[in-house]
Amino acid sequence: MSASFEFNKVAAAVLTAGIVAMGAGFVGRGLVKPHTPEKNVIGIEAAEGTQTAAAAAEPAAAAIEPIGPLLASADPKAGEAIAKRCTACHTFDKGGANRVGPNLWGIVGAKHGHAEGFAYSDALKGMSAKPWDYEEISHFIANPKAYAPGTKMAFAGLRKAEERANLIAYLRSLADSPVPLP
Ligand code: HEC
């Protein structure tokens, strides 16, 4: 009798412990639950927010990374291949003709609208006090219409910084004495 009583006590204790443990589990999950999804929601929102901001900023000139640091390791030969996309409108040789676009010999360091006898848009004429330094050329080539609204250069733009660096390294080589690298 006393053994069975003892057994009941133990069973009750085990049961109680189980209920307490379950209760703790519920309470525990109850406490954790509202936090976990909250964190996830914030995390997802933050990631989406960043993406949206980056996408929205993409056409803006401000989003274009500096080209200077890429020029030291840029490849003018690869740039010459990319320049084939420009030859429909531009010549690159010394004394070459203006076509749809102006001749580009010696363009790095030259003033905006540098070619004699070429009918530039008001957009580029308005910038004629500024030289084409590396960053200016990079911004223009990345997105001509964003850089010079109203430009006549009907070219969508080279978005990849590495391609622009190679191309600009090639443009730099088109001079009697190339401008020093930055
Ligand atoms: C569809 C024709 C076309 C293509 C393709 C084109 N351009 Fe042009 N480019 C022009 C025209 C037109 C102008 C004059 C823009 C103006 O007056 O607004 C110009 C102007 C420029 C200028 C300014 C020259 C100056 O004297 O100030 C640079 C630099 C230039 N282009 C580089 C390039 C490069 C590099 C490429 C190839 C990645 C390229 N362009 C592709 C038509 C083109």
Side-chain angles (χ1 to χ4, degrees), residues 82-83 85-90 92 100-104 107 111-115 118-125 132 137 140-141 150-155 158 167 171:
I82 294 166
R85 298 183 212 175
C86 324
T87 52
C89 303
H90 292 285
F92 291 94
V100 177
N103 170 260
L104 292 179
I107 190 66
K111 300 272 190 226
H112 285 56
H114 83 299
F118 184 83
Y120 287 96
S121 64
D122 290 341
L124 276 207
K125 274 193 261 179
W132 283 114
I137 294 187
F140 182 51
I141 292 170
T151 180
K152 293 202 293 183
M153 176 153 136
F155 178 74
L158 276 183
L167 176 64
L171 292 179

Side-chain angles (χ1 to χ4, degrees), residues 26-91:
F26 283 137
V27 172
R29 255 172 281 148
L31 285 175
V32 169
K33 231 182 192 168
H35 282 283
T36 317
E38 217 175 90
K39 250 190 209 161
N40 283 347
V41 167
I42 291 165
I44 289 161
E45 270 179 3
E48 279 176 357
T50 320
Q51 248 179 0
T52 313
E58 203 255 333
I64 295 166
E65 61 185 285
I67 206 74
L70 297 179
L71 287 175
S73 57
D75 177 0
K77 272 269 161 245
E80 188 173 0
I82 294 166
K84 298 234 164 22
R85 298 183 212 175
C86 324
T87 52
C89 303
H90 292 285
T91 58

